[in-house]
Each structure stands twice: as structure tokens, then as C-alpha cells.
């Protein structure tokens, strides 16, 4: 590889890094730009520069309504029916056609901001779920016929004996059969102080074994742990439709 290509590769990597930072907020950025264009167009309109004003309004329509129009078209094709996104776009375009450019542009702006905030909230929730899933270990040290072997947590069965060393996370819900330790259960219960654990006590997947080496017997499959149930509940809550969306869909069904 020539040394002349190194600066170009570095520049491309920097550009990708910058784009990676901008992309999650792109919808909000375009909504803000759309708002600025609408304000500029209104000022020009008040100054009597109607042609320039209409040009800026149209630009604001395109920039602010791009994401929602794209989403509306894709969903309309998939569901074979108009959705609220398309209805809002038609209403805004109709306002412009009959000369109410300001009203139509403001409608697009409000819709763009609400969509950007919704996207931001969903992205943040996805990151939180990903962070939760990263907490759960993927491997465990199973003891079989006196021999320790590293296995994937999905291979653990109820009754299997595992060893958990200090500093490791508990791979699955289990019951301590030997050893004493303290467990940091903040990921599950929110407790800031580690809890003392000894023979017969239950420990949960995703918690941290703070100091003592222990052996434990698996009591639940990896897919049925308390930690996994928390993740499933969060994902289920995300997929549920809001009351306003349910109302709109009921209204459309009755039309």
C-alpha cells in the first residue's frame, strides 16, 4: 500500500465517524432546517417577495416531510391502505395548492418534529436494550464429572453445576451449592450495596459475583431467567401502540 493512500483512508474513516454521529439525529436536524426555512419564507412573504417565499416553502416541505413521506409511502404499499403519515402529507400539499403555504409548512414542521422525537426515543430505547443484553454473559464454566468446561449459556440445563469466579457475571439463574460470596444485584434489583450470598441462596443471571468463588446449580434455562424476562417486558412495552395511535386506527377503521 502506498503512503499516499494513507491520508485518504484516514479522511474516509473520519468522515464515517462524523456521519455515524450525525445519522441518529439527521431527522431532527432536517426538521430544524425546515423550521428555519419556514421562518425565512414567512419574512419574505411579509416583505412582498412572494416568489422567493413560495420557493422556500416548497424547500421546507421537501426537507421537513421527507422522512415521514418515505415512511408513509412504504407503509401504505405494505398495508395497501392510507396511513396517518400520508394523510398529513396530502393535507400539507393541499394547503399549499390553495395558497395557504404558511399553514401547510407549519403542519409539515410539527409533523417532522414529532417524528424526529419519536425516532430519537426509539433509538435511545434500542440502545438501552442492547446495553442490557450485553450485560448477560454468553459463556459459563460448567462442571461435568469433575471436569470444568466452557459452554455457551444456551447449552446449560436445569440441574447443571457451574463455577462462578470473582468478578464474573452469573450466566443463569441458579442456587448456590458451595461457597460464600457477595453479589452485586444492581442490574436486577437496583440495590447499590452487594448482597451476601451463601449455600441455598438464589442468584440471578446478569448479576456480578464480587469476591468469592462459588459453585451453583442451574434452576432455570437461559431463556427463562429473570434477567431475560425483564428484557422481554421492555421489548414488549416498546412494541405496544400508544393510546393516540390506537385511537387513530380505530377512527380510520370506522371511516
Amino acid at each position: 500500500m502506498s503512503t499516499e493512500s494513507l491520508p485518504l483512508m484516514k479522511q474516509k474513516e473520519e468522515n464515517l465517524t462524523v456521519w455515524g454521529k450525525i445519522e441518529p439525529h439527521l431527522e431532527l436536524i432536517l426538521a430544524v432546517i425546515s423550521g428555519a426555512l419556514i421562518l425565512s419564507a414567512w419574512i419574505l412573504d411579509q416583505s412582498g417577495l412572494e416568489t422567493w417565499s413560495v420557493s422556500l416553502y416548497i424547500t421546507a416541505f421537501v426537507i421537513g416531510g421527507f422522512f415521514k413521506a418515505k415512511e408513509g409511502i412504504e407503509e401504505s404499499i405494505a398495508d395497501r391502505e392510507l396511513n396517518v403519515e400520508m394523510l398529513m402529507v396530502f393535507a400539507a400539499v393541499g394547503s399549499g395548492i390553495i395558497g395557504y403555504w404558511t399553514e401547510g409548512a407549519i403542519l409539515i414542521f410539527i409533523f417532522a418534529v414529532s417524528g424526529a422525537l419519536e425516532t430519537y426515543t426509539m433509538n435511545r430505547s434500542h440502545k438501552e436494550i442492547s446495553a442490557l443484553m450485553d450485560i448477560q454473559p454468553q459463556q459459563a464454566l460448567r462442571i461435568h464429572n469433575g471436569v470444568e468446561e466452557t459452554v455457551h449459556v444456551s447449552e446449560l440445563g436445569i440441574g447443571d453445576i457451574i463455577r462462578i469466579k470473582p468478578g464474573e457475571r452469573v450466566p443463569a439463574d441458579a442456587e448456590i451449592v458451595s461457597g460464600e460470596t457477595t453479589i452485586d444485584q444492581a442490574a436486577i434489583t437496583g440495590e447499590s450495596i452487594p448482597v451476601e450470598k451463601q449455600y441455598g441462596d438464589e442468584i440471578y443471571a446478569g448479576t456480578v459475583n464480587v469476591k468469592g468463588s462459588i459453585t451453583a446449580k442451574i434452576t432455570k434455562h437461559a431463556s427463562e431467567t429473570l434477567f431475560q424476562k425483564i428484557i422481554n417486558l421492555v421489548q414488549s412495552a416498546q412494541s405496544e401502540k400508544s393510546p393516540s395511535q390506537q385511537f387513530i386506527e380505530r377512527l380510520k377503521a370506522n371511516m
Side-chain angles (χ1 to χ4, degrees):
M1 181 185 296
S2 64
T3 55
E4 293 181 355
S5 63
L6 292 176
L8 292 175
M9 292 181 62
K10 185 176 181 181
Q11 183 64 40
K12 288 181 180 179
E13 290 177 357
E14 290 177 354
N15 291 339
L16 289 174
T17 302
V18 172
W19 174 249
K21 293 179 180 179
I22 294 176
E23 186 178 14
H25 309 290
L26 182 60
E27 195 170 346
L28 182 59
I29 292 171
L30 293 182
V32 172
I33 293 174
S34 175
L37 289 172
I38 293 170
L39 179 60
S40 301
W42 180 81
I43 293 173
L44 290 175
D45 187 36
Q46 297 301 307
S47 302
L49 301 174
E50 185 176 350
T51 303
W52 285 99
S53 173
V54 171
S55 298
L56 287 183
Y57 277 133
I58 293 174
T59 305
F61 271 47
V62 174
I63 292 176
F66 173 77
F67 278 101
K68 280 301 178 182
K70 179 175 178 290
E71 179 183 338
I73 291 171
E74 291 175 349
E75 290 185 1
S76 293
I77 293 174
D79 300 337
R80 296 184 180 180
E81 63 177 6
L82 289 177
N83 50 40
V84 66
E85 285 82 7
M86 292 304 299
L87 293 175
M88 293 290 283
V89 170
F90 290 152
V93 172
S95 296
I97 291 174
I98 61 177
Y100 290 92
W101 290 101
T102 304
E103 289 78 1
I106 291 175
L107 181 61
I108 285 289
F109 174 69
I110 293 174
F111 206 46
V113 171
S114 66
L117 293 176
E118 180 183 359
T119 300
Y120 172 78
T121 303
M122 290 180 63
N123 288 339
R124 186 173 179 180
S125 298
H126 289 156
K127 287 181 180 178
E128 291 174 351
I129 290 178
S130 296
L132 275 176
M133 295 180 71
D134 289 341
I135 290 176
Q136 189 168 8
Q138 298 300 309
Q139 294 183 326
L141 191 62
R142 182 171 63 186
I143 303 175
H144 183 65
N145 294 330
V147 179
E148 295 183 355
E149 56 179 352
T150 300
V151 298
H152 193 272
V153 291
S154 61
E155 298 179 33
L156 295 175
I158 296 176
D160 283 351
I161 303 298
I162 59 172
R163 185 182 303 282
I164 308 164
K165 299 177 181 179
E168 293 182 343
R169 288 191 179 273
V170 179
D173 289 2
E175 179 183 315
I176 296 177
V177 294
S178 69
E180 295 182 357
T181 187
T182 54
I183 299 289
D184 182 355
Q185 301 184 147
I188 300 294
T189 64
E191 296 174 277
S192 59
I193 301 175
V195 179
E196 296 285 341
K197 295 287 185 177
Q198 56 187 353
Y199 175 81
D201 289 339
E202 189 171 9
I203 53 178
Y204 304 106
T207 58
V208 180
N209 181 22
V210 178
K211 64 177 184 180
S213 179
I214 56 174
T215 56
K217 180 174 65 176
I218 300 297
T219 56
K220 294 179 182 177
H221 292 290
S223 60
E224 300 173 349
T225 63
L226 179 60
F227 191 78
Q228 187 60 45
K229 288 180 180 179
I230 292 174
I231 293 176
N232 292 340
L233 285 172
V234 174
Q235 291 176 328
S236 176
Q238 277 191 341
S239 63
E240 289 181 358
K241 297 177 180 178
S242 65
S244 59
Q245 186 175 0
Q246 293 174 1
F247 171 76
I248 291 172
E249 291 187 354
R250 286 198 302 269
L251 186 63
K252 286 167 59 181
N254 294 327
M255 290 178 63

